[in-house]
Amino acid sequence: EVQLVESGGGLAQPGGSLRLSCAASGFIFSNYWMHWVRQAPGQGLVWVSRINADGRSTSYADSVKGRFTISRDNAKNTLYLQMNSLRAEDTAVYYCVRESGWPKNYFDYWGQGTLVTVSS
Amino acid sequence: DIQMTQSPSSLSASVGDRVTITCRARQSIGSYLNWYQQKPGKAPKLLIYAASSLQSGVPTRFSGSGTGTDFTLSISSLQPEDFATYYCQQSYTTPQTFGQGTKVEIK
C-alpha cells in the first residue's frame, strides 16, 4: 500500500524557517517524481514545487522561488521541503504528492497534509 | 501559467441527481486534465486522469470528457458520499495549475 506521511509542520514566525518531511512507503520511491502542493485555510489547491526521480531537477512556483528548497533522499525514501523567509501568506496545509509519471503526469497519491502557520 | 476556470463555483443538488462540472483551460492542454475530489479535512483524491480515464476504485457513476480547452466531470446519480469539493488540474506543463474548485452541496 502506497503511503505518504508528512511531518514538520507547526508555528513559525514571519522570516523564520521550517523543514517539512514526507516519508514514503509501499512503492519504489526512487522511480517517481514528487511534488508539494499547498492549501491555505478555506482556499483552493496550489502547486508549490516538484523534484524529479534522481533529485537533479527541481521547479518552483514563483511565489516561493528563492525561499523554498525541495530535495529528496532516495536511500531514506524521504522528500523534504526547506522553507525559509516564511511569510504569513505561506500559512497552509502542505501536501506531499506522488506524480504518476509519463505520459499523463497526474497526482495519484497524496499524503494527509501538515499544517504550517506563520504568525507572530 | 495556464489558468484553469471551473464552473459553477458551487451547486446544490439532491441525491440521485445528475451533476456536471465544467473546466476551461486558457490554452489547449490536449487531454492533460485531471479531476480530484476533496472532503473537509481530508487530502484530495484522484477521480479521473487524462480527461476521461477512471482511476482504479472510483465508482463508475463518475465520468470525464473533453479535450483541448473544454472539459467536464459528470456524476450520473449523486450519492450522499459525493458531497465534496471537486478540482480540475492541468498536467500539460509546469506549474501544474488547478481550478478554483466546485463545492457540491446537499439541496
Side-chain angles (χ1 to χ4, degrees), chain A residues 39 59 95 103-104 106-107 111, chain B residues 31-32 36 38 43 49 89 91:
Chain A
Q39 185 171 37
S59 186
Y95 294 103
K104 292 300 184 182
Y106 47 90
F107 293 170
Chain B
S31 62
Y32 287 84
Y36 302 87
Q38 187 179 33
Y49 63 93
Q89 176 220 21
S91 54

Side-chain angles (χ1 to χ4, degrees), chain B residues 28-85:
Chain B
S28 178
I29 57 171
S31 62
Y32 287 84
L33 191 285
N34 314 304
W35 291 97
Y36 302 87
Q37 175 194 66
Q38 187 179 33
K39 297 181 179 179
K42 300 294 186 182
K45 170 189 171 184
L46 176 68
L47 296 177
I48 301 285
Y49 63 93
S52 60
S53 296
L54 193 67
Q55 172 70 344
S56 176
V58 174
T60 56
R61 62 180 179 273
F62 290 93
S63 64
S65 65
T67 188
T69 60
D70 294 304
F71 302 87
T72 60
L73 172 70
S74 296
I75 309 172
S76 60
S77 178
L78 199 65
Q79 297 302 300
E81 59 268 31
D82 301 336
F83 292 95
T85 301

Side-chain angles (χ1 to χ4, degrees), chain A residues 5-100:
Chain A
V5 180
E6 301 97 336
S7 59
L11 178 64
Q13 292 196 334
S17 298
L18 280 176
R19 188 175 85 153
L20 306 183
S21 299
C22 171
S25 61
F27 65 102
I28 302 174
F29 181 69
S30 58
N31 284 354
Y32 289 85
W33 291 33
M34 298 295 296
H35 298 248
W36 290 98
V37 174
R38 70 184 181 185
Q39 185 171 37
Q43 303 301 308
L45 301 168
V46 177
W47 175 83
V48 173
S49 183
R50 70 97 176 134
I51 189 167
N52 75 337
D54 66 10
R56 295 181 182 182
S57 174
T58 60
S59 186
Y60 299 91
D62 287 345
S63 59
V64 307
K65 200 173 295 182
R67 301 187 298 122
F68 289 11
T69 302
I70 190 171
S71 63
R72 65 192 297 161
D73 185 334
N74 285 345
K76 295 183 177 179
N77 292 339
T78 303
L79 175 72
Y80 302 100
L81 185 68
Q82 177 67 43
M83 310 165 66
N84 298 331
S85 303
L86 284 163
R87 305 167 180 168
E89 55 265 35
D90 296 320
T91 294
V93 173
Y94 284 74
Y95 294 103
C96 166
V97 184
R98 190 183 87 165
E99 182 187 302
S100 63

Side-chain angles (χ1 to χ4, degrees), chain B residues 2-39:
Chain B
I2 298 177
Q3 183 177 349
M4 307 299 293
T5 303
Q6 288 180 234
S7 61
S9 295
S10 64
L11 65 89
S12 296
S14 300
V15 172
D17 285 352
R18 180 177 181 85
V19 168
T20 299
I21 299 168
T22 65
C23 178
R24 176 165 289 175
R26 181 169 280 188
Q27 67 183 73
S28 178
I29 57 171
S31 62
Y32 287 84
L33 191 285
N34 314 304
W35 291 97
Y36 302 87
Q37 175 194 66
Q38 187 179 33
K39 297 181 179 179

